[in-house]
Amino acid sequence: DGGITQSPKYLFRKEGQNVTLSCEQNLNHDAMYWYRQDPGQGLRLIYYSQIVNDFQKGDIAEGYSVSREKKESFPLTVTSAQKNPTAFYLCASSANSATNEKLFFGSGTQLSVL
Amino acid sequence: GQSLEQPSEVTAVEGAIVQINCTYQTSGFYGLSWYQQHDGGAPTFLSYNALDGLEETGRFSSFLSRSDSYGYLLLQELQMKDSASYFCAVRDTSNSGYALNFGKGTSLLVTP
């Protein structure tokens, strides 16, 4: 089955620790995205990547970093510089950046601070 | 910049019709999308309007008026499983037009 897989489903971060959220897709999509969702809020864009080895900051990139070394993978690192990391993180992909109105989402990772 | 406005909550009875409105302000505009998200789940794509008018997909329809910067999602013959959050999203010239910007969502509760 084609789709997007995020792992882990739940993640806990200690003070001063960096954590990495995994996102893998087997849809052969060029474009991938990371969104953050807080309770009762919409989705806010963190980073996006149109093609391999290229990515751009979204609206709330501070305290986060990404890489796009493979077409299938777009991991997100939440660094210690992100002071309020508790949120639901959603990864998405689209066939290409010209068809980004139809996104396919993973099931999300809930990140909490210990 | 851009902003999207949609009601925070809507309640409707099973079998009824409900309309969820969305107004937007953008620096440029390509189209309006709608997504459904059940609690704790992944958002799923419902519809996309690039041109004015009504698009129908089964029980769900979506409307766009570009001149009014306004759109809506219409859900007919409501079912209990339609209880979810619904987000409008625009593809506009922020982020170079390469990523969707989402509203805060409308929580729909369908009651018996």
Side-chain angles (χ1 to χ4, degrees):
Chain A
D1 286 340
I4 299 182
T5 302
Q6 289 187 240
S7 63
K9 188 167 180 63
Y10 300 97
L11 186 60
F12 297 90
R13 193 190 89 166
K14 295 180 180 178
E15 200 75 33
Q17 184 183 42
N18 293 352
V19 293
T20 298
L21 285 61
S22 170
C23 178
E24 303 277 333
Q25 55 99 358
N26 60 4
L27 299 167
N28 199 33
H29 284 174
D30 286 329
M32 297 188 73
Y33 314 81
W34 275 104
Y35 286 90
R36 168 178 172 145
Q37 186 175 32
D38 293 281
Q41 300 294 312
L43 284 66
R44 291 184 292 167
L45 182 67
I46 306 173
Y47 268 97
Y48 65 100
S49 168
Q50 299 171 58
I51 55 173
V52 176
N53 292 322
D54 182 66
F55 50 82
Q56 285 82 40
K57 294 181 178 180
D59 299 320
I60 56 166
E62 186 174 351
Y64 301 97
S65 65
V66 294
S67 63
R68 187 84 188 277
E69 298 176 359
K70 297 186 301 182
K71 187 176 186 177
E72 302 80 16
S73 180
F74 191 40
L76 174 73
T77 296
V78 184
T79 74
S80 57
Q82 173 49 247
K83 299 306 179 187
N84 184 24
T86 297
F88 189 51
Y89 290 86
L90 287 159
C91 179
S93 70
S94 64
N96 54 64
S97 55
T99 61
N100 64 10
E101 58 273 0
K102 185 172 184 178
L103 300 182
F104 294 81
F105 282 88
S107 56
T109 294
Q110 176 63 52
L111 175 62
S112 302
V113 177
L114 288 176
Chain B
Q2 56 83 31
S3 68
L4 295 99
E5 295 290 331
Q6 51 181 132
S8 59
E9 294 180 350
V10 173
T11 301
V13 177
E14 193 175 15
I17 299 172
V18 72
Q19 179 174 312
I20 299 174
N21 298 320
C22 175
T23 58
Y24 59 86
Q25 291 183 323
T26 64
S27 54
F29 180 78
Y30 292 103
L32 184 70
S33 301
W34 288 93
Y35 284 77
Q36 178 192 62
Q37 184 183 31
H38 287 97
D39 272 350
T44 56
F45 173 83
L46 292 176
S47 67
Y48 174 68
N49 295 67
L51 302 175
D52 287 357
L54 190 68
E55 297 277 347
E56 298 181 60
T57 309
R59 294 188 297 115
F60 293 3
S61 302
S62 57
F63 172 82
L64 176 66
S65 169
R66 295 175 68 111
S67 60
D68 295 323
S69 298
Y70 163 76
Y72 65 73
L73 181 69
L74 190 72
L75 296 82
Q76 303 182 72
E77 301 172 16
L78 281 173
Q79 302 175 9
M80 299 297 287
K81 67 178 182 179
D82 296 330
S83 291
S85 291
Y86 293 84
F87 296 89
C88 58
V90 296
R91 181 182 169 206
D92 61 15
T93 55
S94 64
N95 297 311
S96 301
Y98 292 133
L100 284 183
N101 295 296
F102 286 81
K104 292 187 176 181
T106 298
S107 178
L108 171 65
L109 176 64
V110 180
T111 61

